[in-house]
Amino acid sequence: MELFNLFIKSVFVDNMIFAYFLGMCSYLAVSKTVKTSAGLGLAVTFVLVVTVPINYLVNKYLLAPGALAWMSPKLASLDLSFLTYILFIAIIAAIVQILEMIIETFTPSLYSALGIFLPLIAVNCAILGCSLFMQERGFGNVGEAAVFGLGSGLGWLLAIVGIAAIREKLRYSKIPKGLQGVGISFIITGLMGIAFMAFMGIKL
Amino acid sequence: MANPKKLLIEPLRKTNPVTVLVLGICSCLAVTAQLKPALVMGASVTVVTALSNFIISLLRKGIPSRIRIIVQLVVVATLVILIDQFLKAFAYDVSKQLSVYVGLIITNCIIMGRLEAFALSHEPWESFLDGLGNGLGYSLILIIVAFFRELFGSGTLLGYQVIPQSFYEAGYQNNGLMILPPMALIVVGIIIWIQRTRNPEMQENNQK
């Protein structure tokens, strides 16, 4: 139940886009058609589910204050948390690279669907942001971290598919000249965010 | 060598990274509920863009192009760690407010974008100025958004009461919506609207 609660919360309440604005750049750039945005959304979800638990383990056994105690008691007083950023981003970049190779070898059809988006994801702030939130909130075990990654990814997918669908329709609407394109996307995202605020405070 | 003044001034208006190129939106929206964190964030990003542009430009002949993204990430991450430690030491409360967004400077697309588009092909000094200009362009938008959000959302600027008490007694109320995340998006949308109405050549054609 606890896990399910966390999942629902990370999809709707703490939505990566509407509550924290993470991954906005690719969200605005790629959301022109539903098909490509669903592809990017899936890729983000996939990478989040893999990287958040791995970064959780790295944080727990390498970076947190006193985390190195399992190696030898002498290291128990060591605090490496200042290395968080560089280690997390290196792990994310490496995993994205490895995933790309694995997908290319074993499922070429998935690769051609996600292909161009995968390398972009290494510098998507939603991925690094999710790992940093995971570190800040101090989850109890790997399972919680994985569920958090899955929920955040699905929330991001939901948001980008939603805006893409609206933008496809918008092509036929009359919009003031200066607002066309990026401007209106910002305002619509804001309105969607207000709608999503209705989920605030949900507890299962 | 390109005109240094142009390198510095252009990103503030014609090629503004936030409103024209639509880069670096994430942090721009998240830290603008108040003016003070926005100022700190703008300064941090400016320092990181300028220095990383400079360093990458120095190294550009030695970086194999296949692994350049990793090299860039390492340089940027190192600079961000320095900034983070600096903020924790000298401005602890602001650093707590900014929370994960300091770390997210690493994945700020303005930095990667300028490294890719400018630093890899220009001299160090020009790259430094370009980074500085883009950082300032980013800070400018950040400050405008934060100014309106704090003024209308809390009636304060930098924490000082600006809207006089007599207004509140006459029935004026703070607009709580301005503090909430969605309003940041709408404020940026309006800034883009004003800018593009004044510069018609920037407008996008929806029918494409």
Side-chain angles (χ1 to χ4, degrees):
Chain A
M1 213 57 215
E2 197 63 9
L3 282 180
F4 189 65
N5 195 11
L6 178 69
F7 176 73
I8 294 293
K9 251 187 98 148
S10 48
V11 175
F12 293 106
V13 184
D14 294 335
N15 189 294
M16 277 286 144
I17 294 223
F18 300 125
Y20 299 113
F21 314 109
L22 294 179
M24 280 305 278
C25 313
S26 35
Y27 168 83
L28 288 168
V30 184
S31 63
K32 284 200 174 116
T33 58
V34 173
K35 211 175 153 218
T36 47
S37 51
L40 182 66
L42 279 178
V44 166
T45 314
F46 196 58
V47 174
L48 273 178
V49 173
V50 180
T51 55
V52 175
I54 292 181
N55 278 339
Y56 175 83
L57 292 176
V58 167
N59 185 45
K60 192 166 177 194
Y61 293 109
L62 280 178
L63 295 172
L68 287 171
W70 58 272
M71 264 188 215
S72 93
K74 262 185 276 173
L75 298 172
S77 58
L78 216 56
D79 178 3
L80 291 180
S81 50
F82 67 93
L83 287 175
T84 303
Y85 299 147
I86 206 160
L87 213 55
F88 277 12
I89 195 74
I91 288 172
I92 289 169
I95 287 176
V96 169
Q97 196 65 233
I98 294 170
L99 274 181
E100 202 183 335
M101 285 190 257
I102 293 178
I103 295 176
E104 195 179 4
T105 333
F106 292 106
T107 50
S109 59
L110 185 65
Y111 181 75
S112 56
L114 299 183
I116 42 167
F117 299 121
L118 272 175
L120 276 179
I121 283 177
V123 286
N124 185 325
C125 13
I127 310 288
L128 181 62
C130 203
S131 285
L132 292 176
F133 274 125
M134 173 275 296
Q135 188 196 32
E136 203 181 67
R137 291 188 199 163
F139 289 123
N141 54 47
V142 189
E144 281 181 28
V147 169
F148 178 66
L150 178 68
S152 305
L154 287 179
W156 203 89
L157 174 73
L158 191 71
I160 196 171
V161 170
I163 186 107
I166 295 177
R167 281 180 81 170
E168 279 192 359
K169 286 278 171 211
L170 268 185
R171 217 167 295 161
Y172 309 105
S173 335
K174 269 201 148 80
I175 300 164
K177 278 229 168 61
L179 212 49
Q180 280 178 9
V182 186
I184 194 75
S185 311
F186 268 99
I187 292 178
I188 288 173
T189 311
L191 296 177
M192 284 167 80
I194 293 177
F196 263 68
M197 273 163 52
F199 292 113
M200 221 175 252
I202 282 185
K203 233 183 152 77
L204 290 173
Chain B
M1 178 166 166
N3 184 357
K5 206 171 151 196
K6 206 174 137 210
L7 283 177
L8 209 52
I9 302 297
E10 281 286 278
L12 290 180
R13 301 170 50 239
K14 285 274 160 61
T15 58
N16 189 293
V18 178
T19 57
V20 181
L21 307 176
V22 205
L23 294 175
I25 310 290
C26 332
S27 52
C28 173
L29 299 168
V31 301
T32 50
Q34 284 173 331
L35 201 48
K36 199 173 162 201
L39 282 171
V40 174
M41 187 71 184
S44 315
V45 171
T46 310
V47 171
V48 175
T49 358
L51 289 181
S52 62
N53 249 3
F54 182 70
I55 294 172
I56 289 293
S57 176
L58 278 179
L59 298 174
R60 71 184 189 282
K61 299 223 171 79
I63 304 174
S65 73
R66 279 192 70 103
I67 58 156
R68 65 179 194 284
I69 302 267
I70 306 261
V71 176
Q72 288 163 1
L73 279 176
V74 171
V75 169
V76 176
T78 314
L79 288 167
V80 172
I81 290 175
L82 291 178
I83 295 269
D84 183 46
Q85 297 291 320
F86 182 83
L87 286 182
K88 273 192 186 137
F90 293 103
Y92 189 70
D93 48 330
V94 181
S95 133
K96 270 273 159 272
Q97 258 177 317
L98 291 173
S99 71
V100 301
Y101 293 99
V102 179
L104 288 176
I105 297 177
I106 301 172
T107 50
N108 191 318
C109 350
I110 295 181
I111 298 175
M112 292 303 276
R114 288 332 285 174
L115 291 178
E116 284 283 302
F118 199 92
L120 283 177
S121 55
H122 288 79
E123 294 296 315
W125 176 240
E126 286 175 72
S127 307
F128 180 76
L129 288 179
D130 179 78
L132 201 60
N134 277 285
L136 291 175
Y138 169 85
S139 314
L140 180 73
I141 302 295
L142 222 63
I143 290 167
I144 296 176
V145 177
F147 176 82
F148 285 110
R149 283 183 76 192
E150 193 178 351
L151 183 64
F152 293 117
S154 339
T156 57
L157 283 178
L158 284 171
Y160 297 105
Q161 192 74 30
V162 178
I163 294 181
Q165 196 58 40
S166 52
F167 272 46
Y168 289 103
E169 279 154 18
Y172 176 83
Q173 281 196 338
N174 286 329
N175 183 354
L177 191 61
M178 289 301 272
I179 309 227
L180 297 172
M183 271 320 277
L185 289 159
I186 295 177
V187 173
V188 176
I190 292 170
I191 294 176
I192 293 179
W193 187 7
I194 294 171
Q195 198 187 19
R196 294 202 175 167
T197 314
R198 288 176 56 190
N199 305 291
E201 74 276 7
M202 284 177 196
Q203 287 167 5
E204 288 174 51
N205 190 350
N206 223 3
Q207 259 65 42
K208 246 185 274 177

